[in-house]
Amino acid sequence: MDRTTFLARIEEYHMGGWRLALINATSAMSTEEQPGGSFDVVWAFVKDNAFEYLREEIVPGDEVPSISASFPAAFLYENEIRELFGINVTGLNVDLGGQLYKTAKKIPFSPSAIRARLEANAAAGIASASPTPPAGPHGAAHAASSPAPTSAPTAGKTA
Amino acid sequence: MNTAIYGLLFVVLAPLFGGLLAGVDRRVSARMQSRIGPPLLQPFYDVGKLLQKKTRQVNPVAGPLLLGHVIFMAATGALLLGGTDLIFVAFVFALAALFLVLAAGSANSPYSFTGAERELIVLLASEPFFILMMAGVCKVSGVSTFGDVLAYPQWVAPQLPGILIAFLIVATIKLRKSPFDISTSHHPHQELVSGLTTDMSGRLLAYVEVAHWYESAILCAFMVLLFNRSWPIGLVAFGVAYALEVLVDNSTSRAKWQLVLRSTWAATLVLCGGNVLALFVIGR
Amino acid sequence: MANPLTLPMVRRSLRNLVARPATRKYPYEIRPSFGGARGKIEFDVTTCNYCMLCMRRCPAEAIRVSREDRIWSIEHLRCIACNVCVEVCSKKSLSMSNQPRKPQTPADGVDGQRPGHEEWHLAAPDTTGAPCPDAETPAAKA
Amino acid sequence: MKRTVIPFGPQHPVLPEPIVLDLILEDERVVDAVPTIGYIHRGLEMMVERVEYTEMGFVVERICGICSFMHGMGYCLSLETIMNVEVPDRAKWLRLIWAEISRIQSHLLWLGLGADAFGFENLFMHCWRMREEILDIFEKTTGGRVIHSVNRIGGVKRDVSDAELAAILVRLEELGKAFKKTASVFATDPSIAHRLVGVGVLSPEDALSTASVGPMARASGLATDTRLGGANLYDQIDFQPVVETAGDCLARVAVRLREVEQSIGIIRQAIDKMPKGEGLPLENRPRGNPAGEAFTRLEQPRGEVVYYVKANGTKYLERFRARTPTFANIPAMIQLVKGCELADVPNIILTIDPCISCTER
């Protein structure tokens, strides 16, 4: 990801008086281009009734800058994606040091952890999501559908 | 000789009186909250249950200290009815309360410790009142023991109006009623969990409960002291005061300690101090 | 603004003192259930064809069906009374009673069964489905 | 000065849910608060791997017992967006009515807890007694007191007859009258003012920078209310967001007090406007499996909730995420606790209406 443009866009939201609504990560299973899987991370903002978000594809090990300089409340979400997904967020204003959630398994939502669970379920004969979801427009290949960080944020949605 | 029997009777009968009063209190409070409430004898069942439970002591000192708390509470009443000097009784009363503070402070827990600190504050807030009250009673009657005051042919209360009003305020602390129940709480949701009783369990908590029954009985005896010519009138006055306490308890939230200290000291200083001062000025 | 001399709750407290209390003397006095309340799953073993749909759709994994052993069982302590099994049952073997389960303690488990666990067996293919005598069934409890 | 560390939680009677705030005290003043959450992280979001999307709604409902209806509704709305399902009109109106009843229920529960936190047991009993009547309405209409399970993807499972709705409205309006008296106690009692006025003041700027939502933000003068977006038929309802400007604990109480009355008004309008009659369609059941993603925002009693659902064309969702209002309000809570007195901590924590089970899906 392009760190400078990303932080500039975040700062635009900050100056525009937007409120941080959500930082969400989704793990994607491994593909041919990304054998270690990838993360689809969304930074969502709300102003009045407009809802907009920035989207980035993160590869495990990528460094993701914290946005807590612009949005101090981001620390909870950033600690969360660090603990649950293993995304390497740097420069947090409040670093809870892995103490936010006391999960039994460390990093339960990393692509490899999800795959291991699904395969264990399949081996035990428990019905569950298949470890290899069908590729399709909304399948594992969302890398292609994510807009580039420099593009305008994906159109706002009101729910 | 005769008075010693009264003292002994107090030790035996006061818990019955205090426990029953607590039972009535719980019924009436429940009705004010439009609940039915527990059986009348529930406080006795509770203490019985506590005595059967396994006691966990955080600090072995707590047990003897709480036993001291009960014994000195009983002793306060016994000394009062047994004919000891009234000022001395007020000091023993404070000493009894101090045992509770020490027991709570001995447990190495922040809630208990902060509760003990707060109990010390309310003790500071309430003790000057009792001393001034005794001084006022002695001044009016010219005698200094419970029996002598009761035998005094004139009413004491009419000359102590300020002390009567202040009694209501200080009794709120001693009966641990909202808004002044900052150090413990009869209602469990509060910032200090259960304040100074947080780390007491089983037998120890039973001691605290029984000591509180003695405390209620002592306050009742103080009221009788003020209405010296007829003890039934004293009892009725105490009943009215207690009913008022229950009503206020159910109609206010808990105050912060600064307000407790300020309002009790103001009441003690203005009402009691003024009252006693007036006695000296107008008296002779 | 708050006047320090008014305590608005005093009047309410006094009025409550003479009014009827709002509490009910449970368990001596039990309010009847509302008609549509979801209380407890009832199972009729005589019509079940062991299609296992209820087990597959149960979000709480409370129902276990074994076609080979002819066992249908439910863990009431897991059941969330969402009504999905009743909705999907093609044979109408399942129904939702508006009476909630009675409270149970571990001592209430019968013959080594866990409390809240109910199991029905079809002993032999030709029997028409009497509940297993060992199992803790509603019939056995009654 | 001697410092005491008070571990506020994980088990604390003011907050019967496990969150830890290590309060660092100088005498009775809090100088720092260090949060640890995660004692009961349940991994409900992970359950999408094992629970089919059709049943996941029941899991989502269990994120929280108080907002259970709105959680189920938000989940179904997300799936309806992904699967392009048009929900029948009457079902939409019923959802709106149940959602507003949930709001009344939640606020009554919270007002009771708030009263309990500042040591007003009698007021607590009054609030909770009123809440029982709301729970009765829920049990009659949905079958469940707390977990309702009436939402299905594409509509709702149960109808409420027009006569029943009219009866509910009458009951709510009676309740509203009784509630006015209780509300006036909160507003006029001096001992309550002693505990709440000027305590835990959150400025509008701080409310924005800590990303507060719901009554927390509205008590600080921000008119944020997701319902204003007009989705879920709120465009057909005439209402104004309840805004207070003081930003202290009493303002947060006042917002909720006024919102109870507002919700009764919204229910009245909804019952007036909804299509009447027996046997109207309630459910458009979708076919096939969902594919796509959706963000759904709803105004829960505690504030804005955001759901993110990603589906990949199988029976199992790829990702489900609920960003609950308490999660969003935690930064503000931590900021407010610093510098207050120990006796104020319960009030400050409670006035954000914390739901730790929401936070730890």
Side-chain angles (χ1 to χ4, degrees), chain C residues 108-137:
Chain C
D108 295 331
V110 181
D111 296 332
Q113 296 255 7
R114 294 183 304 285
H117 180 83
E118 277 182 18
E119 202 168 272
W120 282 264
H121 295 246
L122 263 179
D126 54 274
T127 46
T128 41
C132 173
D134 304 336
E136 187 213 354
T137 59

Short mmCIF file of all heavy atoms in Angstrom, two decimals, chain C residues 108-137:
data_model
loop_
_atom_site.label_atom_id
_atom_site.label_comp_id
_atom_site.label_asym_id
_atom_site.label_seq_id
_atom_site.Cartn_x
_atom_site.Cartn_y
_atom_site.Cartn_z
N ASP C 108 -31.85 -34.03 39.42
CA ASP C 108 -33.06 -34.39 38.71
C ASP C 108 -32.82 -35.31 37.52
O ASP C 108 -33.75 -35.84 36.95
CB ASP C 108 -33.78 -33.12 38.22
CG ASP C 108 -34.27 -32.28 39.38
OD1 ASP C 108 -34.55 -32.88 40.43
OD2 ASP C 108 -34.36 -31.06 39.23
N GLY C 109 -31.57 -35.46 37.11
CA GLY C 109 -31.28 -36.35 36.00
C GLY C 109 -31.66 -37.77 36.39
O GLY C 109 -31.36 -38.23 37.49
N VAL C 110 -32.33 -38.48 35.48
CA VAL C 110 -32.79 -39.83 35.81
C VAL C 110 -31.88 -40.86 35.15
O VAL C 110 -31.51 -40.70 33.99
CB VAL C 110 -34.25 -40.03 35.31
CG1 VAL C 110 -34.74 -41.41 35.69
CG2 VAL C 110 -35.14 -38.96 35.90
N ASP C 111 -31.52 -41.89 35.86
CA ASP C 111 -30.76 -43.01 35.33
C ASP C 111 -29.51 -42.58 34.56
O ASP C 111 -29.31 -42.95 33.40
CB ASP C 111 -31.64 -43.87 34.42
CG ASP C 111 -32.77 -44.50 35.20
OD1 ASP C 111 -32.58 -44.72 36.40
OD2 ASP C 111 -33.82 -44.75 34.61
N GLY C 112 -28.74 -41.76 35.17
CA GLY C 112 -27.48 -41.37 34.54
C GLY C 112 -27.64 -40.37 33.42
O GLY C 112 -26.67 -39.97 32.79
N GLN C 113 -28.87 -39.95 33.11
CA GLN C 113 -29.06 -38.94 32.07
C GLN C 113 -28.75 -37.57 32.66
O GLN C 113 -29.05 -37.31 33.80
CB GLN C 113 -30.51 -38.96 31.60
CG GLN C 113 -30.90 -40.25 30.96
CD GLN C 113 -31.01 -40.11 29.46
OE1 GLN C 113 -30.65 -39.07 28.91
NE2 GLN C 113 -31.46 -41.14 28.82
N ARG C 114 -28.21 -36.73 31.85
CA ARG C 114 -27.97 -35.37 32.30
C ARG C 114 -29.30 -34.63 32.39
O ARG C 114 -30.20 -34.90 31.61
CB ARG C 114 -27.06 -34.64 31.31
CG ARG C 114 -25.67 -35.21 31.26
CD ARG C 114 -24.80 -34.41 30.31
NE ARG C 114 -25.36 -34.33 28.96
CZ ARG C 114 -25.34 -35.32 28.09
NH1 ARG C 114 -24.78 -36.47 28.43
NH2 ARG C 114 -25.83 -35.17 26.90
N PRO C 115 -29.42 -33.71 33.32
CA PRO C 115 -30.66 -32.93 33.33
C PRO C 115 -30.77 -32.12 32.04
O PRO C 115 -29.77 -31.65 31.52
CB PRO C 115 -30.49 -32.02 34.55
CG PRO C 115 -29.07 -32.05 34.90
CD PRO C 115 -28.52 -33.33 34.40
N GLY C 116 -31.97 -32.03 31.55
CA GLY C 116 -32.17 -31.27 30.33
C GLY C 116 -31.97 -32.10 29.08
O GLY C 116 -32.22 -31.64 27.98
N HIS C 117 -31.52 -33.32 29.24
CA HIS C 117 -31.29 -34.17 28.08
C HIS C 117 -32.49 -35.10 27.90
O HIS C 117 -32.93 -35.75 28.84
CB HIS C 117 -30.03 -34.99 28.29
CG HIS C 117 -29.70 -35.90 27.15
ND1 HIS C 117 -29.04 -35.46 26.04
CD2 HIS C 117 -29.97 -37.21 26.96
CE1 HIS C 117 -28.91 -36.48 25.19
NE2 HIS C 117 -29.46 -37.54 25.74
N GLU C 118 -33.02 -35.12 26.70
CA GLU C 118 -34.13 -36.03 26.44
C GLU C 118 -33.81 -36.86 25.22
O GLU C 118 -33.25 -36.35 24.25
CB GLU C 118 -35.43 -35.25 26.19
CG GLU C 118 -36.12 -34.85 27.48
CD GLU C 118 -37.42 -34.12 27.22
OE1 GLU C 118 -37.96 -34.23 26.10
OE2 GLU C 118 -37.89 -33.46 28.14
N GLU C 119 -34.17 -38.14 25.30
CA GLU C 119 -33.77 -39.04 24.23
C GLU C 119 -34.93 -39.98 23.92
O GLU C 119 -35.61 -40.45 24.83
CB GLU C 119 -32.57 -39.84 24.72
CG GLU C 119 -31.72 -40.41 23.62
CD GLU C 119 -30.40 -40.92 24.20
OE1 GLU C 119 -29.47 -40.12 24.30
OE2 GLU C 119 -30.36 -42.10 24.56
N TRP C 120 -35.17 -40.20 22.65
CA TRP C 120 -36.21 -41.17 22.27
C TRP C 120 -35.56 -42.25 21.41
O TRP C 120 -34.73 -41.95 20.54
CB TRP C 120 -37.31 -40.51 21.44
CG TRP C 120 -38.28 -39.72 22.24
CD1 TRP C 120 -39.49 -40.15 22.71
CD2 TRP C 120 -38.16 -38.37 22.67
NE1 TRP C 120 -40.12 -39.15 23.40
CE2 TRP C 120 -39.34 -38.04 23.39
CE3 TRP C 120 -37.19 -37.39 22.54
CZ2 TRP C 120 -39.55 -36.79 23.96
CZ3 TRP C 120 -37.39 -36.15 23.09
CH2 TRP C 120 -38.56 -35.86 23.80
N HIS C 121 -35.93 -43.51 21.67
CA HIS C 121 -35.41 -44.62 20.86
C HIS C 121 -36.57 -45.29 20.17
O HIS C 121 -37.67 -45.36 20.73
CB HIS C 121 -34.77 -45.69 21.74
CG HIS C 121 -33.56 -45.23 22.47
ND1 HIS C 121 -32.32 -45.73 22.21
CD2 HIS C 121 -33.41 -44.31 23.43
CE1 HIS C 121 -31.44 -45.15 23.02
NE2 HIS C 121 -32.09 -44.27 23.76
N LEU C 122 -36.31 -45.80 19.01
CA LEU C 122 -37.24 -46.76 18.42
C LEU C 122 -36.53 -48.09 18.57
O LEU C 122 -35.56 -48.37 17.86
CB LEU C 122 -37.46 -46.45 16.95
CG LEU C 122 -38.70 -45.65 16.62
CD1 LEU C 122 -38.76 -45.39 15.14
CD2 LEU C 122 -39.94 -46.37 17.08
N ALA C 123 -36.95 -48.90 19.52
CA ALA C 123 -36.19 -50.09 19.89
C ALA C 123 -36.06 -51.03 18.70
O ALA C 123 -34.96 -51.41 18.29
CB ALA C 123 -36.85 -50.79 21.06
N ALA C 124 -37.15 -51.42 18.11
CA ALA C 124 -37.11 -52.33 16.96
C ALA C 124 -37.90 -51.68 15.84
O ALA C 124 -38.79 -50.88 16.09
CB ALA C 124 -37.73 -53.67 17.34
N PRO C 125 -37.58 -52.03 14.58
CA PRO C 125 -38.26 -51.38 13.47
C PRO C 125 -39.78 -51.54 13.50
O PRO C 125 -40.49 -50.69 13.02
CB PRO C 125 -37.68 -52.08 12.24
CG PRO C 125 -36.40 -52.66 12.70
CD PRO C 125 -36.54 -52.95 14.16
N ASP C 126 -40.27 -52.65 14.12
CA ASP C 126 -41.72 -52.86 14.05
C ASP C 126 -42.50 -52.14 15.14
O ASP C 126 -43.70 -51.98 15.03
CB ASP C 126 -42.04 -54.36 14.11
CG ASP C 126 -41.42 -55.00 15.34
OD1 ASP C 126 -40.23 -55.40 15.27
OD2 ASP C 126 -42.10 -55.08 16.37
N THR C 127 -41.82 -51.72 16.22
CA THR C 127 -42.58 -51.00 17.25
C THR C 127 -42.99 -49.64 16.72
O THR C 127 -42.29 -49.04 15.92
CB THR C 127 -41.76 -50.79 18.55
OG1 THR C 127 -40.49 -50.34 18.15
CG2 THR C 127 -41.64 -52.04 19.36
N THR C 128 -44.07 -49.17 17.22
CA THR C 128 -44.58 -47.91 16.69
C THR C 128 -44.05 -46.71 17.46
O THR C 128 -44.58 -45.62 17.35
CB THR C 128 -46.11 -47.90 16.69
OG1 THR C 128 -46.55 -48.50 17.91
CG2 THR C 128 -46.67 -48.64 15.51
N GLY C 129 -43.05 -46.95 18.27
CA GLY C 129 -42.38 -45.78 18.81
C GLY C 129 -42.77 -45.40 20.22
O GLY C 129 -43.06 -44.25 20.49
N ALA C 130 -42.75 -46.40 21.12
CA ALA C 130 -42.92 -46.05 22.53
C ALA C 130 -41.61 -45.47 23.02
O ALA C 130 -40.55 -45.93 22.61
CB ALA C 130 -43.28 -47.28 23.34
N PRO C 131 -41.66 -44.47 23.86
CA PRO C 131 -40.38 -43.91 24.34
C PRO C 131 -39.61 -44.95 25.13
O PRO C 131 -40.19 -45.81 25.79
CB PRO C 131 -40.81 -42.75 25.22
CG PRO C 131 -42.27 -42.89 25.44
CD PRO C 131 -42.81 -43.77 24.38
N CYS C 132 -38.33 -44.91 25.01
CA CYS C 132 -37.48 -45.87 25.70
C CYS C 132 -37.68 -45.76 27.20
O CYS C 132 -37.68 -44.66 27.75
CB CYS C 132 -36.02 -45.59 25.37
SG CYS C 132 -34.89 -46.59 26.32
N PRO C 133 -37.86 -46.87 27.90
CA PRO C 133 -38.13 -46.79 29.34
C PRO C 133 -36.98 -46.21 30.13
O PRO C 133 -37.20 -45.63 31.18
CB PRO C 133 -38.41 -48.25 29.72
CG PRO C 133 -37.87 -49.08 28.61
CD PRO C 133 -37.92 -48.24 27.38
N ASP C 134 -35.73 -46.36 29.64
CA ASP C 134 -34.60 -45.83 30.39
C ASP C 134 -34.51 -44.32 30.28
O ASP C 134 -34.00 -43.66 31.17
CB ASP C 134 -33.27 -46.40 29.85
CG ASP C 134 -33.29 -47.91 29.86
OD1 ASP C 134 -34.06 -48.45 30.67
OD2 ASP C 134 -32.54 -48.50 29.07
N ALA C 135 -34.96 -43.84 29.15
CA ALA C 135 -34.71 -42.42 28.89
C ALA C 135 -35.59 -41.54 29.76
O ALA C 135 -36.68 -41.93 30.17
CB ALA C 135 -34.96 -42.12 27.42
N GLU C 136 -35.08 -40.37 29.99
CA GLU C 136 -35.87 -39.39 30.74
C GLU C 136 -36.80 -38.72 29.75
O GLU C 136 -36.41 -37.85 28.98
CB GLU C 136 -34.95 -38.36 31.38
CG GLU C 136 -35.68 -37.45 32.30
CD GLU C 136 -35.04 -36.07 32.28
OE1 GLU C 136 -33.99 -35.89 31.65
OE2 GLU C 136 -35.64 -35.18 32.91
N THR C 137 -38.00 -39.15 29.71
CA THR C 137 -38.96 -38.60 28.75
C THR C 137 -40.01 -37.84 29.53
O THR C 137 -40.15 -38.01 30.73
CB THR C 137 -39.65 -39.74 27.98
OG1 THR C 137 -40.30 -40.56 28.93
CG2 THR C 137 -38.64 -40.56 27.20
#
